[in-house]
Amino acid sequence: MITIDQVRQRAEMDARTNGCYLNPDKDFLNDLFVGLKTNEERYGYPSCPCRLATGKFELDRDINCPCDYRDPDVKEFGACYCALYVSRDVSEGKTQIKPVPERRPKEIQARAYGLKLEAPTPQATASSPTTAPMPAQETKIRLKLYYCKQCGYVCFRESPPYICPICKAKMEMFTELPIQPENAG
Amino acid sequence: MITIDQVRQRAEMDARTNGCYLNPDKDFLNDLFVGLKTNEERYGYPSCPCRLATGKFELDRDINCPCDYRDPDVKEFGACYCALYVSRDVSEGKTQIKPVPERRPKEIQARAYGLKLEAPTPQATASSPTTAPMPAQETKIRLKLYYCKQCGYVCFRESPPYICPICKAKMEMFTELPIQPENAG
Amino acid sequence: MITIDQVRQRAEMDARTNGCYLNPDKDFLNDLFVGLKTNEERYGYPSCPCRLATGKFELDRDINCPCDYRDPDVKEFGACYCALYVSRDVSEGKTQIKPVPERRPKEIQARAYGLKLEAPTPQATASSPTTAPMPAQETKIRLKLYYCKQCGYVCFRESPPYICPICKAKMEMFTELPIQPENAG
């Protein structure tokens, strides 16, 4: 059993830790907290209140709040996809939130929802293997060790974070750690 | 030689980094800083000013300030065990601190102070091996690599943190990294 | 193409995440942001606007903003070398910034700029091998896995950070992780 107050406390700690702010509209914010509480009780983890979760953690991991897209969206648009987290300027009413497009890659969405991706070129469409049902092994998620070349932060993920949570370096600063875990994934 | 001002600077950086706040009562706070300074000069590390340290870092590690219990206590009770760190609501005077029970596990306390744990059942008490002196090898601390399944944060500890310092996921989101360090511990 | 606003957003997130503050002088701050933007466009990474970069990331890594010296300098002197990041007291005008000496080790500077270090003793000067050109293999940078004995934070760097970004423990709390990556560096 989780309370709205616990959801709020967590979001406040999280915003402060990661350098962003909560939406200043208290009613709007509360509605999102209710959504997070509902999802946590339903799935066992607080998936994004503005996106459709599958109920399988591995497929929903990137849209668990705070989602993988929160930091680059706050940096670029002033808010995350839900507008739960905002930038300092938005928090202080200095700027408006820009429309936030869905940053979640189509491939990740397709994998989560078991959809086929549209083929990228007309030729490929004609006889593309992507029009065949997606084989089960393609949904296997392989985790790797990455590190930030700027500050040395180490993480174990499918792909590097968009922004380093420690030094805020961009994704391109991450590279694979030259060490291989056993049975990763 | 460490100054009260250095202790305070460190606590301020730490609170901001980890999403919590310092106790708004300046005199109370200063007394705690004096305690931290005393402990750092006595032991070489700033162990909790409200708990008894052993002077052996391995046995005191979890009660080194910020202690392992700070984040879950601030989240659940509005303050850490000492009330040095508090939640935003407490910091702003909106709510009172609730009584904070000792979260440090009895097993960890027993290990630190070389105590016997009381047997869990009456039968066990009769001929329990727990009444025998604790063998030396039981105090061996084995460290493992863990990662947060939500954000990928990697750490090397005896057990996972209560709350992920990066994404604030709960302890249950941590699992062992499938890789084994040599001679861990 | 990077904008001044993006540079500022990044610095604001970074300051909040790492427990420090931006210089309260807006014009001064803006000049530093212009410098960071210039360096990012010139080198591909935002090297310190107050130091000379080489253009080779490996040699400039430690002076990439936020530089390796930011946290200990803010803690000890109230500001980083550039005074872009300051302490809370300086941010609130309670104290003045002290002169910040260059913390970057002379050996690191010598390696970056291809300089010879002066010999430490007169005798050594006479026939010192340090007066010979620095052999190429000495500039090889070897990265290692370190962890913080206090909180377990793991990083992959040439040397440990001055202050743990998670728990703010001092550098001495870091030690090598007993595991060896392949082909590190």
mmCIF file of all heavy atoms in Angstrom, chain A residues 42-81:
data_model
loop_
_atom_site.group_PDB
_atom_site.id
_atom_site.type_symbol
_atom_site.label_atom_id
_atom_site.label_comp_id
_atom_site.label_asym_id
_atom_site.label_seq_id
_atom_site.Cartn_x
_atom_site.Cartn_y
_atom_site.Cartn_z
ATOM 1 N N ARG A 42 -0.889 -1.386 -9.373
ATOM 2 C CA ARG A 42 -1.308 -2.325 -10.422
ATOM 3 C C ARG A 42 -0.158 -3.202 -10.896
ATOM 4 O O ARG A 42 -0.310 -4.410 -11.087
ATOM 5 C CB ARG A 42 -1.864 -1.508 -11.597
ATOM 6 C CG ARG A 42 -2.447 -2.335 -12.728
ATOM 7 C CD ARG A 42 -2.817 -1.431 -13.905
ATOM 8 N NE ARG A 42 -3.990 -0.609 -13.658
ATOM 9 C CZ ARG A 42 -4.232 0.564 -14.271
ATOM 10 N NH1 ARG A 42 -3.377 1.053 -15.145
ATOM 11 N NH2 ARG A 42 -5.328 1.246 -14.003
ATOM 12 N N TYR A 43 0.998 -2.569 -11.119
ATOM 13 C CA TYR A 43 2.112 -3.290 -11.742
ATOM 14 C C TYR A 43 3.245 -3.634 -10.765
ATOM 15 O O TYR A 43 4.111 -4.444 -11.087
ATOM 16 C CB TYR A 43 2.716 -2.454 -12.874
ATOM 17 C CG TYR A 43 1.746 -2.042 -13.945
ATOM 18 C CD1 TYR A 43 1.547 -0.696 -14.258
ATOM 19 C CD2 TYR A 43 1.023 -3.004 -14.669
ATOM 20 C CE1 TYR A 43 0.671 -0.307 -15.261
ATOM 21 C CE2 TYR A 43 0.140 -2.617 -15.664
ATOM 22 C CZ TYR A 43 -0.034 -1.268 -15.950
ATOM 23 O OH TYR A 43 -0.899 -0.895 -16.928
ATOM 24 N N GLY A 44 3.284 -2.938 -9.639
ATOM 25 C CA GLY A 44 4.404 -3.131 -8.717
ATOM 26 C C GLY A 44 5.533 -2.142 -8.954
ATOM 27 O O GLY A 44 6.548 -2.175 -8.265
ATOM 28 N N TYR A 45 5.369 -1.271 -9.927
ATOM 29 C CA TYR A 45 6.373 -0.224 -10.184
ATOM 30 C C TYR A 45 5.653 0.984 -10.777
ATOM 31 O O TYR A 45 4.631 0.839 -11.461
ATOM 32 C CB TYR A 45 7.479 -0.723 -11.124
ATOM 33 C CG TYR A 45 6.974 -1.445 -12.360
ATOM 34 C CD1 TYR A 45 6.620 -0.749 -13.516
ATOM 35 C CD2 TYR A 45 6.842 -2.830 -12.362
ATOM 36 C CE1 TYR A 45 6.157 -1.406 -14.636
ATOM 37 C CE2 TYR A 45 6.365 -3.490 -13.485
ATOM 38 C CZ TYR A 45 6.030 -2.768 -14.621
ATOM 39 O OH TYR A 45 5.550 -3.425 -15.726
ATOM 40 N N PRO A 46 6.185 2.195 -10.500
ATOM 41 C CA PRO A 46 5.467 3.413 -10.884
ATOM 42 C C PRO A 46 5.693 3.805 -12.338
ATOM 43 O O PRO A 46 6.436 4.737 -12.628
ATOM 44 C CB PRO A 46 6.034 4.454 -9.916
ATOM 45 C CG PRO A 46 7.440 3.989 -9.665
ATOM 46 C CD PRO A 46 7.409 2.486 -9.725
ATOM 47 N N SER A 47 5.042 3.107 -13.259
ATOM 48 C CA SER A 47 5.245 3.445 -14.669
ATOM 49 C C SER A 47 4.571 4.780 -14.980
ATOM 50 O O SER A 47 3.660 5.235 -14.291
ATOM 51 C CB SER A 47 4.736 2.324 -15.567
ATOM 52 O OG SER A 47 3.349 2.232 -15.471
ATOM 53 N N CYS A 48 5.078 5.396 -16.041
ATOM 54 C CA CYS A 48 4.646 6.731 -16.467
ATOM 55 C C CYS A 48 3.120 6.860 -16.510
ATOM 56 O O CYS A 48 2.454 6.047 -17.159
ATOM 57 C CB CYS A 48 5.230 6.989 -17.859
ATOM 58 S SG CYS A 48 4.716 8.536 -18.584
ATOM 59 N N PRO A 49 2.553 7.880 -15.867
ATOM 60 C CA PRO A 49 1.093 8.020 -15.875
ATOM 61 C C PRO A 49 0.526 8.472 -17.226
ATOM 62 O O PRO A 49 -0.697 8.495 -17.395
ATOM 63 C CB PRO A 49 0.832 9.067 -14.785
ATOM 64 C CG PRO A 49 2.104 9.807 -14.612
ATOM 65 C CD PRO A 49 3.214 8.870 -15.009
ATOM 66 N N CYS A 50 1.383 8.797 -18.183
ATOM 67 C CA CYS A 50 0.922 9.298 -19.483
ATOM 68 C C CYS A 50 1.201 8.326 -20.620
ATOM 69 O O CYS A 50 1.055 8.683 -21.789
ATOM 70 C CB CYS A 50 1.598 10.628 -19.793
ATOM 71 S SG CYS A 50 1.460 11.795 -18.452
ATOM 72 N N ARG A 51 1.680 7.117 -20.264
ATOM 73 C CA ARG A 51 1.988 6.152 -21.324
ATOM 74 C C ARG A 51 1.377 4.806 -20.946
ATOM 75 O O ARG A 51 1.140 4.541 -19.777
ATOM 76 C CB ARG A 51 3.491 5.980 -21.492
ATOM 77 C CG ARG A 51 4.200 7.168 -22.145
ATOM 78 C CD ARG A 51 5.681 6.953 -22.062
ATOM 79 N NE ARG A 51 6.476 7.926 -22.781
ATOM 80 C CZ ARG A 51 7.378 8.707 -22.210
ATOM 81 N NH1 ARG A 51 7.554 8.677 -20.909
ATOM 82 N NH2 ARG A 51 8.097 9.541 -22.942
ATOM 83 N N LEU A 52 1.203 3.967 -21.955
ATOM 84 C CA LEU A 52 0.612 2.655 -21.744
ATOM 85 C C LEU A 52 1.683 1.649 -21.347
ATOM 86 O O LEU A 52 2.608 1.370 -22.106
ATOM 87 C CB LEU A 52 -0.069 2.197 -23.038
ATOM 88 C CG LEU A 52 -0.795 0.856 -22.978
ATOM 89 C CD1 LEU A 52 -1.967 0.915 -22.006
ATOM 90 C CD2 LEU A 52 -1.272 0.451 -24.362
ATOM 91 N N ALA A 53 1.561 1.096 -20.143
ATOM 92 C CA ALA A 53 2.509 0.073 -19.698
ATOM 93 C C ALA A 53 2.002 -1.304 -20.106
ATOM 94 O O ALA A 53 0.810 -1.486 -20.390
ATOM 95 C CB ALA A 53 2.682 0.147 -18.191
ATOM 96 N N THR A 54 2.931 -2.275 -20.164
ATOM 97 C CA THR A 54 2.527 -3.637 -20.541
ATOM 98 C C THR A 54 2.309 -4.508 -19.301
ATOM 99 O O THR A 54 1.686 -5.556 -19.379
ATOM 100 C CB THR A 54 3.635 -4.322 -21.373
ATOM 101 O OG1 THR A 54 4.790 -4.509 -20.524
ATOM 102 C CG2 THR A 54 4.015 -3.493 -22.578
ATOM 103 N N GLY A 55 2.897 -4.075 -18.177
ATOM 104 C CA GLY A 55 2.841 -4.906 -16.972
ATOM 105 C C GLY A 55 4.049 -5.821 -16.847
ATOM 106 O O GLY A 55 4.218 -6.493 -15.840
ATOM 107 N N LYS A 56 4.874 -5.859 -17.923
ATOM 108 C CA LYS A 56 6.134 -6.610 -17.834
ATOM 109 C C LYS A 56 7.258 -5.607 -17.619
ATOM 110 O O LYS A 56 7.554 -4.787 -18.494
ATOM 111 C CB LYS A 56 6.374 -7.398 -19.133
ATOM 112 C CG LYS A 56 5.415 -8.552 -19.300
ATOM 113 C CD LYS A 56 5.700 -9.309 -20.586
ATOM 114 C CE LYS A 56 4.643 -10.382 -20.818
ATOM 115 N NZ LYS A 56 4.604 -10.847 -22.216
ATOM 116 N N PHE A 57 7.918 -5.734 -16.480
ATOM 117 C CA PHE A 57 8.896 -4.711 -16.113
ATOM 118 C C PHE A 57 9.961 -4.500 -17.183
ATOM 119 O O PHE A 57 10.332 -3.359 -17.494
ATOM 120 C CB PHE A 57 9.565 -5.035 -14.772
ATOM 121 C CG PHE A 57 10.617 -4.043 -14.407
ATOM 122 C CD1 PHE A 57 10.268 -2.781 -13.958
ATOM 123 C CD2 PHE A 57 11.965 -4.334 -14.561
ATOM 124 C CE1 PHE A 57 11.238 -1.840 -13.646
ATOM 125 C CE2 PHE A 57 12.942 -3.396 -14.261
ATOM 126 C CZ PHE A 57 12.572 -2.154 -13.803
ATOM 127 N N GLU A 58 10.472 -5.590 -17.754
ATOM 128 C CA GLU A 58 11.566 -5.470 -18.731
ATOM 129 C C GLU A 58 11.147 -4.599 -19.928
ATOM 130 O O GLU A 58 11.970 -3.894 -20.503
ATOM 131 C CB GLU A 58 11.996 -6.843 -19.250
ATOM 132 C CG GLU A 58 12.515 -7.779 -18.180
ATOM 133 C CD GLU A 58 11.402 -8.304 -17.278
ATOM 134 O OE1 GLU A 58 10.264 -8.455 -17.770
ATOM 135 O OE2 GLU A 58 11.665 -8.521 -16.081
ATOM 136 N N LEU A 59 9.882 -4.695 -20.295
ATOM 137 C CA LEU A 59 9.407 -3.942 -21.459
ATOM 138 C C LEU A 59 9.006 -2.510 -21.091
ATOM 139 O O LEU A 59 8.924 -1.640 -21.954
ATOM 140 C CB LEU A 59 8.225 -4.675 -22.106
ATOM 141 C CG LEU A 59 8.550 -6.085 -22.625
ATOM 142 C CD1 LEU A 59 7.283 -6.768 -23.146
ATOM 143 C CD2 LEU A 59 9.613 -6.035 -23.715
ATOM 144 N N ASP A 60 8.731 -2.297 -19.814
ATOM 145 C CA ASP A 60 8.291 -0.970 -19.356
ATOM 146 C C ASP A 60 9.420 -0.179 -18.695
ATOM 147 O O ASP A 60 9.221 0.988 -18.341
ATOM 148 C CB ASP A 60 7.166 -1.111 -18.315
ATOM 149 C CG ASP A 60 5.913 -1.760 -18.880
ATOM 150 O OD1 ASP A 60 5.731 -1.730 -20.113
ATOM 151 O OD2 ASP A 60 5.123 -2.292 -18.085
ATOM 152 N N ARG A 61 10.574 -0.800 -18.520
ATOM 153 C CA ARG A 61 11.624 -0.194 -17.711
ATOM 154 C C ARG A 61 11.906 1.259 -18.086
ATOM 155 O O ARG A 61 12.013 2.135 -17.220
ATOM 156 C CB ARG A 61 12.921 -1.012 -17.830
ATOM 157 C CG ARG A 61 13.970 -0.637 -16.790
ATOM 158 C CD ARG A 61 15.359 -0.945 -17.257
ATOM 159 N NE ARG A 61 15.629 -0.262 -18.511
ATOM 160 C CZ ARG A 61 15.885 1.033 -18.636
ATOM 161 N NH1 ARG A 61 15.925 1.813 -17.567
ATOM 162 N NH2 ARG A 61 16.112 1.585 -19.819
ATOM 163 N N ASP A 62 12.019 1.517 -19.386
ATOM 164 C CA ASP A 62 12.382 2.866 -19.826
ATOM 165 C C ASP A 62 11.284 3.900 -19.571
ATOM 166 O O ASP A 62 11.555 5.099 -19.590
ATOM 167 C CB ASP A 62 12.756 2.856 -21.312
ATOM 168 C CG ASP A 62 11.605 2.397 -22.184
ATOM 169 O OD1 ASP A 62 10.958 1.376 -21.846
ATOM 170 O OD2 ASP A 62 11.302 3.065 -23.192
ATOM 171 N N ILE A 63 10.032 3.458 -19.348
ATOM 172 C CA ILE A 63 8.957 4.428 -19.062
ATOM 173 C C ILE A 63 8.535 4.379 -17.598
ATOM 174 O O ILE A 63 7.459 4.859 -17.231
ATOM 175 C CB ILE A 63 7.732 4.237 -19.983
ATOM 176 C CG1 ILE A 63 7.181 2.807 -19.877
ATOM 177 C CG2 ILE A 63 8.074 4.600 -21.422
ATOM 178 C CD1 ILE A 63 5.766 2.664 -20.444
ATOM 179 N N ASN A 64 9.388 3.770 -16.771
ATOM 180 C CA ASN A 64 9.173 3.841 -15.332
ATOM 181 C C ASN A 64 9.571 5.239 -14.881
ATOM 182 O O ASN A 64 10.587 5.759 -15.324
ATOM 183 C CB ASN A 64 10.071 2.796 -14.646
ATOM 184 C CG ASN A 64 9.301 1.951 -13.675
ATOM 185 O OD1 ASN A 64 8.073 1.885 -13.740
ATOM 186 N ND2 ASN A 64 9.992 1.290 -12.785
ATOM 187 N N CYS A 65 8.791 5.834 -14.024
ATOM 188 C CA CYS A 65 9.048 7.221 -13.601
ATOM 189 C C CYS A 65 10.112 7.267 -12.514
ATOM 190 O O CYS A 65 9.966 6.579 -11.507
ATOM 191 C CB CYS A 65 7.750 7.847 -13.088
ATOM 192 S SG CYS A 65 7.906 9.608 -12.733
ATOM 193 N N PRO A 66 11.205 8.033 -12.637
ATOM 194 C CA PRO A 66 11.510 8.933 -13.744
ATOM 195 C C PRO A 66 11.962 8.161 -14.976
ATOM 196 O O PRO A 66 12.900 7.374 -14.906
ATOM 197 C CB PRO A 66 12.661 9.779 -13.195
ATOM 198 C CG PRO A 66 13.348 8.879 -12.212
ATOM 199 C CD PRO A 66 12.242 8.070 -11.585
ATOM 200 N N CYS A 67 11.329 8.425 -16.091
ATOM 201 C CA CYS A 67 11.617 7.675 -17.317
ATOM 202 C C CYS A 67 12.980 8.069 -17.898
ATOM 203 O O CYS A 67 13.553 9.095 -17.528
ATOM 204 C CB CYS A 67 10.510 7.878 -18.344
ATOM 205 S SG CYS A 67 10.503 9.500 -19.121
ATOM 206 N N ASP A 68 13.452 7.249 -18.810
ATOM 207 C CA ASP A 68 14.750 7.500 -19.453
ATOM 208 C C ASP A 68 14.778 8.818 -20.225
ATOM 209 O O ASP A 68 15.852 9.328 -20.552
ATOM 210 C CB ASP A 68 15.056 6.388 -20.468
ATOM 211 C CG ASP A 68 15.589 5.127 -19.799
ATOM 212 O OD1 ASP A 68 15.543 5.035 -18.551
ATOM 213 O OD2 ASP A 68 16.037 4.229 -20.527
ATOM 214 N N TYR A 69 13.599 9.327 -20.544
ATOM 215 C CA TYR A 69 13.500 10.488 -21.437
ATOM 216 C C TYR A 69 13.317 11.797 -20.670
ATOM 217 O O TYR A 69 13.298 12.871 -21.252
ATOM 218 C CB TYR A 69 12.354 10.245 -22.430
ATOM 219 C CG TYR A 69 12.419 8.821 -22.955
ATOM 220 C CD1 TYR A 69 11.520 7.829 -22.525
ATOM 221 C CD2 TYR A 69 13.450 8.431 -23.810
ATOM 222 C CE1 TYR A 69 11.635 6.512 -22.943
ATOM 223 C CE2 TYR A 69 13.579 7.115 -24.229
ATOM 224 C CZ TYR A 69 12.667 6.160 -23.790
ATOM 225 O OH TYR A 69 12.796 4.857 -24.203
ATOM 226 N N ARG A 70 13.169 11.694 -19.358
ATOM 227 C CA ARG A 70 12.898 12.873 -18.526
ATOM 228 C C ARG A 70 13.998 13.932 -18.652
ATOM 229 O O ARG A 70 13.708 15.083 -18.998
ATOM 230 C CB ARG A 70 12.792 12.443 -17.050
ATOM 231 C CG ARG A 70 12.216 13.502 -16.122
ATOM 232 C CD ARG A 70 13.256 14.253 -15.307
ATOM 233 N NE ARG A 70 14.243 13.423 -14.685
ATOM 234 C CZ ARG A 70 14.221 13.034 -13.424
ATOM 235 N NH1 ARG A 70 13.210 13.384 -12.665
ATOM 236 N NH2 ARG A 70 15.205 12.319 -12.919
ATOM 237 N N ASP A 71 15.249 13.533 -18.441
ATOM 238 C CA ASP A 71 16.321 14.525 -18.405
ATOM 239 C C ASP A 71 16.540 15.240 -19.745
ATOM 240 O O ASP A 71 16.607 16.469 -19.767
ATOM 241 C CB ASP A 71 17.615 13.904 -17.871
ATOM 242 C CG ASP A 71 17.512 13.583 -16.390
ATOM 243 O OD1 ASP A 71 16.609 14.126 -15.721
ATOM 244 O OD2 ASP A 71 18.318 12.783 -15.889
ATOM 245 N N PRO A 72 16.620 14.509 -20.861
ATOM 246 C CA PRO A 72 16.779 15.253 -22.121
ATOM 247 C C PRO A 72 15.550 16.099 -22.468
ATOM 248 O O PRO A 72 15.684 17.178 -23.051
ATOM 249 C CB PRO A 72 17.016 14.151 -23.166
ATOM 250 C CG PRO A 72 16.498 12.896 -22.546
ATOM 251 C CD PRO A 72 16.710 13.056 -21.066
ATOM 252 N N ASP A 73 14.349 15.634 -22.077
ATOM 253 C CA ASP A 73 13.146 16.423 -22.380
ATOM 254 C C ASP A 73 13.078 17.703 -21.544
ATOM 255 O O ASP A 73 12.724 18.771 -22.064
ATOM 256 C CB ASP A 73 11.883 15.577 -22.164
ATOM 257 C CG ASP A 73 11.629 14.619 -23.328
ATOM 258 O OD1 ASP A 73 12.261 14.812 -24.405
ATOM 259 O OD2 ASP A 73 10.821 13.686 -23.182
ATOM 260 N N VAL A 74 13.425 17.594 -20.275
ATOM 261 C CA VAL A 74 13.435 18.802 -19.432
ATOM 262 C C VAL A 74 14.469 19.784 -19.978
ATOM 263 O O VAL A 74 14.218 20.986 -20.060
ATOM 264 C CB VAL A 74 13.735 18.436 -17.959
ATOM 265 C CG1 VAL A 74 14.057 19.685 -17.145
ATOM 266 C CG2 VAL A 74 12.559 17.679 -17.348
ATOM 267 N N LYS A 75 15.609 19.254 -20.406
ATOM 268 C CA LYS A 75 16.676 20.118 -20.912
ATOM 269 C C LYS A 75 16.254 20.793 -22.224
ATOM 270 O O LYS A 75 16.479 21.981 -22.424
ATOM 271 C CB LYS A 75 17.937 19.280 -21.132
ATOM 272 C CG LYS A 75 19.200 20.101 -21.316
ATOM 273 C CD LYS A 75 20.403 19.192 -21.479
ATOM 274 C CE LYS A 75 21.545 19.940 -22.141
ATOM 275 N NZ LYS A 75 22.480 19.026 -22.789
ATOM 276 N N GLU A 76 15.610 20.018 -23.094
ATOM 277 C CA GLU A 76 15.299 20.559 -24.425
ATOM 278 C C GLU A 76 13.960 21.312 -24.489
ATOM 279 O O GLU A 76 13.853 22.331 -25.172
ATOM 280 C CB GLU A 76 15.295 19.410 -25.454
ATOM 281 C CG GLU A 76 15.159 19.910 -26.890
ATOM 282 C CD GLU A 76 15.422 18.811 -27.901
ATOM 283 O OE1 GLU A 76 15.921 17.737 -27.509
ATOM 284 O OE2 GLU A 76 15.116 19.036 -29.099
ATOM 285 N N PHE A 77 12.950 20.787 -23.778
ATOM 286 C CA PHE A 77 11.611 21.374 -23.912
ATOM 287 C C PHE A 77 11.096 22.047 -22.641
ATOM 288 O O PHE A 77 10.004 22.614 -22.635
ATOM 289 C CB PHE A 77 10.621 20.292 -24.353
ATOM 290 C CG PHE A 77 11.024 19.602 -25.631
ATOM 291 C CD1 PHE A 77 11.478 18.297 -25.632
ATOM 292 C CD2 PHE A 77 10.986 20.292 -26.847
ATOM 293 C CE1 PHE A 77 11.882 17.666 -26.801
ATOM 294 C CE2 PHE A 77 11.383 19.670 -28.026
ATOM 295 C CZ PHE A 77 11.836 18.356 -28.006
ATOM 296 N N GLY A 78 11.862 21.924 -21.566
ATOM 297 C CA GLY A 78 11.430 22.553 -20.312
ATOM 298 C C GLY A 78 10.535 21.672 -19.467
ATOM 299 O O GLY A 78 10.115 22.074 -18.384
ATOM 300 N N ALA A 79 10.204 20.476 -19.964
ATOM 301 C CA ALA A 79 9.343 19.559 -19.198
ATOM 302 C C ALA A 79 9.502 18.147 -19.730
ATOM 303 O O ALA A 79 9.896 17.939 -20.876
ATOM 304 C CB ALA A 79 7.881 19.982 -19.322
ATOM 305 N N CYS A 80 9.174 17.164 -18.864
ATOM 306 C CA CYS A 80 9.132 15.784 -19.344
ATOM 307 C C CYS A 80 7.820 15.576 -20.119
ATOM 308 O O CYS A 80 6.967 16.457 -20.153
ATOM 309 C CB CYS A 80 9.275 14.802 -18.184
ATOM 310 S SG CYS A 80 7.850 14.706 -17.081
ATOM 311 N N TYR A 81 7.700 14.420 -20.709
ATOM 312 C CA TYR A 81 6.531 14.107 -21.556
ATOM 313 C C TYR A 81 5.201 14.352 -20.836
ATOM 314 O O TYR A 81 4.230 14.836 -21.426
ATOM 315 C CB TYR A 81 6.637 12.641 -21.987
ATOM 316 C CG TYR A 81 5.648 12.174 -23.014
ATOM 317 C CD1 TYR A 81 5.602 12.753 -24.277
ATOM 318 C CD2 TYR A 81 4.774 11.128 -22.735
ATOM 319 C CE1 TYR A 81 4.705 12.303 -25.230
ATOM 320 C CE2 TYR A 81 3.875 10.674 -23.685
ATOM 321 C CZ TYR A 81 3.843 11.266 -24.927
ATOM 322 O OH TYR A 81 2.959 10.820 -25.870
#
